[in-house]
Amino acid sequence: NIWVVDVSKGSATKVTFNAGRDDFPVWSSDGKTIVFSSNRNGPMDLYLKNADGSGEERLLLKSDLDKRATSWSRDGRFLMYMSPGSNTATDLWVLPNPSSATGDAKPIPYLQTEFQEVSGSFSPDGHWVAYVSAESGNAQTYVRPFDPDRIAESATGGRWMVSREGSAANQPRWSGDGKAIIYVTPTLQLMSVSVDTTKSFQFEAPRRLVNVPLLTGFTMTADGKRLLMPLPEGSNAQSPFTVVTNWQAVLQK
């Protein structure tokens, strides 16, 4: 189920009450609603719920294929989600007007190729999408343009691979001012790529911010000053180690 934690108070509110699996929550830009995926009726469909837990869930999008929301544009006009294609790998789709959508809403394909495209994330200005693809042979973070008036065509306007060392599939994130893209490498390094979108898309080489203990997702505050991610319990958590007995016999071989 979906929970909301008040960071300042430390209190937690259970938002969904369902026997099925409710996960992949995405906040609206105003913080009042949450979109999430649920398999309560079979495939993972998209639902909307008030963030304070009031009211009932509302079905946004239902289909025969699993759907997982990944990003809600800051202006509230578009919801990006990923879903497996019938003749392609995982693709990126856009649902217009998610706050008023119903179960029979008409989504628009954004990126459909033979490769997996996952974790699409709108830039703060809504004109770019960062995502992860394995088209180069291993997962990397890419950026493509997004035109709200030509959604299906805008992804063909070019692409830029901004990562170098690989990128975890549940990344990336934009900084609140849109001047950086943050992602985690498979070797557990949190990386930042400075970008400039004032004229065209330009970017610098990735730089390491810090090592992280787990290959997992994270989120960032709008001002870019704080990150939230899972960590091992306790400040003195230790990595597991292996004890090899009778190791002298191994050397003799």
Side-chain angles (χ1 to χ4, degrees), residues 5 18 21 24 26-27 38-39 75 90 109-110 130 135 157 167 178 181 184 187-188 203 212 239 247-248 252:
V5 175
N18 189 270
R21 175 184 173 187
F24 292 90
V26 173
W27 290 93
S38 177
N39 65 352
D75 61 9
T90 303
Y110 173 69
E135 67 173 80
S167 181
I181 296 173
V184 176
T187 56
L188 303 182
F203 64 99
V212 295
S239 301
W247 55 271
Q248 297 95 336
Q252 294 174 1

Side-chain angles (χ1 to χ4, degrees), residues 87-91 112-117 133 135:
N87 298 312
T88 58
T90 303
D91 302 318
Q112 295 175 303
T113 75
E114 60 183 302
F115 307 103
Q116 280 198 337
E117 292 92 22
S133 172
E135 67 173 80

Side-chain angles (χ1 to χ4, degrees), residues 41-142:
N41 293 312
M44 300 292 284
D45 294 322
L46 299 180
Y47 291 80
L48 184 74
K49 183 68 183 287
N50 292 333
D52 62 3
S54 64
E56 297 295 326
E57 296 97 341
R58 177 162 58 84
L59 177 64
L60 294 186
L61 183 62
K62 182 176 179 59
S63 70
D64 294 333
L65 299 174
D66 289 341
K67 300 159 289 297
R68 293 175 170 85
T70 60
S71 181
W72 199 330
S73 63
R74 182 171 290 186
D75 61 9
R77 296 176 58 192
F78 303 104
L79 179 75
M80 180 160 286
Y81 68 92
M82 55 185 183
S83 181
S86 55
N87 298 312
T88 58
T90 303
D91 302 318
L92 296 179
W93 290 75
V94 173
L95 180 66
N97 304 314
S99 294
S100 59
T102 58
D104 57 354
K106 302 299 181 183
I108 301 172
Y110 173 69
L111 189 57
Q112 295 175 303
T113 75
E114 60 183 302
F115 307 103
Q116 280 198 337
E117 292 92 22
V118 299
S119 304
S121 178
F122 289 111
S123 62
D125 65 7
H127 295 306
W128 305 91
V129 171
Y131 66 99
V132 175
S133 172
E135 67 173 80
S136 66
N138 57 346
Q140 300 281 1
T141 293
Y142 293 80

Side-chain angles (χ1 to χ4, degrees), residues 200-217:
S200 60
F201 186 80
Q202 298 177 323
F203 64 99
E204 299 179 2
R207 61 185 180 91
R208 186 182 69 86
L209 297 179
V210 67
N211 288 352
V212 295
L214 299 173
L215 188 60
T216 184

Side-chain angles (χ1 to χ4, degrees), residues 217-240:
F218 67 93
T219 190
M220 188 176 355
T221 55
D223 59 13
K225 295 182 178 180
R226 290 179 294 173
L227 294 173
L228 178 68
M229 65 178 64
L231 294 176
E233 184 177 2
S235 58
N236 296 320
Q238 298 180 356
S239 301

Side-chain angles (χ1 to χ4, degrees), residues 126-196:
H127 295 306
W128 305 91
V129 171
Y131 66 99
V132 175
S133 172
E135 67 173 80
S136 66
N138 57 346
Q140 300 281 1
T141 293
Y142 293 80
V143 173
R144 289 181 186 253
F146 180 83
D147 186 339
D149 298 320
R150 300 172 58 252
I151 294 175
E153 296 82 13
S154 58
T156 62
R159 71 183 185 280
W160 297 263
M161 189 178 81
V162 300
S163 62
R164 293 182 178 178
E165 321 81 358
S167 181
N170 53 352
Q171 310 306 333
R173 298 287 185 270
W174 293 82
S175 61
D177 58 9
K179 295 182 179 180
I181 296 173
I182 315 296
Y183 65 94
V184 176
T185 71
T187 56
L188 303 182
Q189 298 181 83
L190 187 69
M191 307 294 290
S192 175
V193 178
S194 296
V195 301
D196 184 355

